[in-house]
Amino acid sequence: MSAGAPRGAGGGSTGRGAGGLRASLAGLTTRGRSFLAAGVAAALCAYVLGQGELLRVGLLLAVLPLLCVLALHRTRHRVSGSRRLTPMRVPAGSEARVQLRTENVSRLPTGMLMLQDRVPYVLGPRPRFVLDRVEPGGRREVSYRVRSDLRGRYPLGPLQLRLTDPFGLVELTRSFSTYDTLTVVPRTEALAPVRLTGETSGYGDGSRRSLALAGDDDVIPRGYRRGDDLRRVHWRSTARYGELMVRREEQPQRSKATVLLDTRAVAFEGAGPDSAFEWAVSGAASTLVHLLEQGFSVRLLTDAGTSVPGDGSAFEKWGGTSGGQESAAAAGLMMDTLAVVGHSDGAGLTRAYDAVRSGGGHGGGAGGDGLLVAFFGDLDDVQAEVAAKMRGRCGAAVAFVLDSAQWAGRPSRAQERVGRLRDTGWTALAVPPGVAFGELWRQAGNAPLGTGTSGGRG
């Protein structure tokens, strides 16, 4: 990005007409206005009293700031600037480094410059840097760090340059036109590689196998070729075509998992980094990262029925292939979604159940395969029943139940809801305040089918 002084954002020239001059006059500092007022007052007094010496002093005081305005207005400096944000996606509580670079691309040296970047207050104080004279073609680099304990997407910029005269009487501000965005994602925990009941590994033994749909050896049964394994001979096709035919190759398919996040506003109380909802968001993020590392094809599902990555072709693009780039892109997309996820206005889990039942192109439908990891808020009798029915659509299901009453220290019915889920085959665990998710994850891996614990404090 580039800006000029007195050229506008993007390097466009600032006009020399009345409008540009008025803008320059508006840049008079307190000192400049004081000089101008003192000069006018001295000139009036000199006229009334007939003092010629005082009149010269008054004219000097009044003309000096006006000369600085004119000189600054006619200055032909061009200054380019850039910002580099590293990294552009950070976990909550971690720092990102912002590097600012300015370059004087004009033929004249600049005066003193003040460089200022606009940042949201949650990222810290607004950074300001004073740059001394920059020679023609000269460059200056400065940097600062930003940090936020709250997840979200935060704009950085636009960058501003303040140009002042040597006397400090006039100060003009020019803004650059571009900005960057810092994405603060939820904190994640490293999870132990446990084996959840009913779960298959991401690849290899135990993974569901399906017929491949592409490749020379993966079309309809073909004729026998020298060197083919005789165990692959398809005798029915051989009898039909009258020649030796070989079966299609079978290839492993990635095991699939769904992480369900309950975002209903009625299901959670409180806000802030230590709230139950933020615990659930962080737990969902940790689960997503862990399952992707284990080779699963993962999607994020909310109570509103929204799936990330999307269904069908979107799933095939982001999570349905074995390529590391696709998995990384899917992880980034889901983490970006969790960075800005908030409470929904929904009152029930019906849409989420419909998405689990249909499978959404994710293999979690009537086939009965796939892992479901759910993070529930408050569950009444009706919603507990809906959640219980989700178990029948999945190969394995683990639920973490966060009850607002329990987190607030009030009498809770969390164990009753957890028991209802266990009775239908869920591995269900109640989440008390202050517990580490990694500990609950290990407990879920050690729990037999349809059971759970109340969780311990981490």
Side-chain angles (χ1 to χ4, degrees), residues 192-223:
V194 301
R195 179 137 182 134
L196 302 175
T197 304
E199 169 196 345
T200 62
S201 59
Y203 288 102
D205 296 339
S207 296
R208 188 169 71 91
R209 302 176 69 85
S210 67
L211 296 177
L213 301 178
D216 292 338
D217 292 335
D218 300 328
V219 294
I220 60 176
R222 59 170 176 82

Side-chain angles (χ1 to χ4, degrees), residues 43-387:
L44 291 176
C45 291
Y47 177 77
V48 172
L49 301 176
Q51 298 291 328
E53 297 295 333
L54 183 58
L55 179 61
R56 286 192 289 270
V57 173
L59 291 177
L60 175 63
L61 293 176
V63 170
L64 182 59
L66 296 179
L67 289 176
C68 291
V69 167
L70 184 61
L72 212 58
H73 174 69
R74 294 179 61 86
T75 302
R76 302 294 296 178
H77 298 310
R78 282 186 58 85
V79 179
S80 65
S82 63
R83 180 192 301 103
R84 176 179 297 177
L85 177 60
T86 310
M88 300 186 67
R89 183 189 293 118
V90 296
S94 299
E95 289 186 342
R97 183 170 180 263
V98 183
Q99 185 175 3
L100 304 177
R101 178 179 177 179
T102 59
E103 180 179 0
N104 181 12
V105 296
S106 64
R107 298 181 179 179
L108 298 176
T110 69
M112 184 175 64
L113 301 175
M114 177 180 287
L115 192 64
Q116 175 178 279
D117 208 7
R118 300 182 63 181
V119 300
Y121 72 95
V122 296
L123 299 183
R126 180 172 295 182
R128 293 182 175 91
F129 305 93
V130 176
L131 305 180
D132 292 331
R133 176 182 178 274
V134 181
E135 66 279 5
R139 300 175 182 177
R140 299 291 186 271
E141 291 186 0
V142 293
S143 64
Y144 65 95
R145 295 185 180 273
V146 291
R147 176 182 180 274
S148 175
D149 292 326
L150 302 176
R151 57 186 177 83
R153 292 173 61 86
Y154 303 102
L156 302 178
L159 188 65
Q160 293 181 332
L161 278 177
R162 292 185 179 180
L163 180 65
T164 61
D165 67 284
F167 303 103
L169 303 179
V170 185
E171 182 181 87
L172 298 182
T173 302
R174 294 292 180 264
S175 295
F176 294 87
S177 57
T178 61
Y179 64 92
D180 295 296
T181 300
L182 173 67
T183 302
V184 181
V185 301
R187 294 185 179 92
T188 59
E189 294 185 40
L191 303 180
V194 301
R195 179 137 182 134
L196 302 175
T197 304
E199 169 196 345
T200 62
S201 59
Y203 288 102
D205 296 339
S207 296
R208 188 169 71 91
R209 302 176 69 85
S210 67
L211 296 177
L213 301 178
D216 292 338
D217 292 335
D218 300 328
V219 294
I220 60 176
R222 59 170 176 82
Y224 174 83
R225 298 173 184 171
R226 185 175 180 179
D228 285 340
D229 191 344
L230 292 178
R231 290 174 297 182
R232 293 176 50 199
V233 173
H234 193 267
W235 296 109
R236 181 178 299 178
S237 298
T238 298
R240 179 180 178 183
Y241 292 104
E243 61 177 308
L244 205 58
M245 305 294 293
V246 181
R247 293 193 306 268
R248 292 181 289 183
E249 284 282 359
E250 291 184 346
Q251 295 183 351
Q253 179 180 354
R254 296 182 74 184
S255 297
K256 298 171 183 178
T258 296
V259 177
L260 171 60
L261 177 62
D262 184 2
T263 63
R264 295 172 298 140
V266 297
F268 295 93
E269 294 180 6
D274 297 327
S275 65
F277 181 69
E278 292 300 323
W279 191 100
V281 173
S282 179
S286 300
T287 304
L288 290 170
V289 172
H290 175 74
L291 293 178
L292 285 170
E293 291 176 347
Q294 296 301 310
F296 281 80
S297 173
V298 189
R299 69 166 174 171
L300 172 66
L301 181 66
T302 67
D303 59 286
T306 303
S307 177
V308 181
D311 302 338
S313 60
F315 159 71
E316 294 297 332
K317 175 181 178 182
W318 296 107
T321 63
S322 59
Q325 293 183 351
E326 289 82 357
S327 294
L333 184 62
M334 290 184 285
M335 294 300 286
D336 287 348
T337 301
L338 289 177
V340 296
V341 69
H343 290 299
S344 69
D345 297 330
L349 300 171
T350 304
R351 293 182 179 178
Y353 169 71
D354 292 339
V356 172
R357 181 180 60 180
S358 64
H362 201 267
D369 63 331
L371 170 66
L372 174 62
V373 181
F375 295 84
F376 293 122
D378 294 341
L379 296 174
D380 55 23
D381 293 335
V382 175
Q383 302 312 316
E385 183 66 25
V386 175

Side-chain angles (χ1 to χ4, degrees), residues 7 284 304 360 411:
R7 295 174 179 261

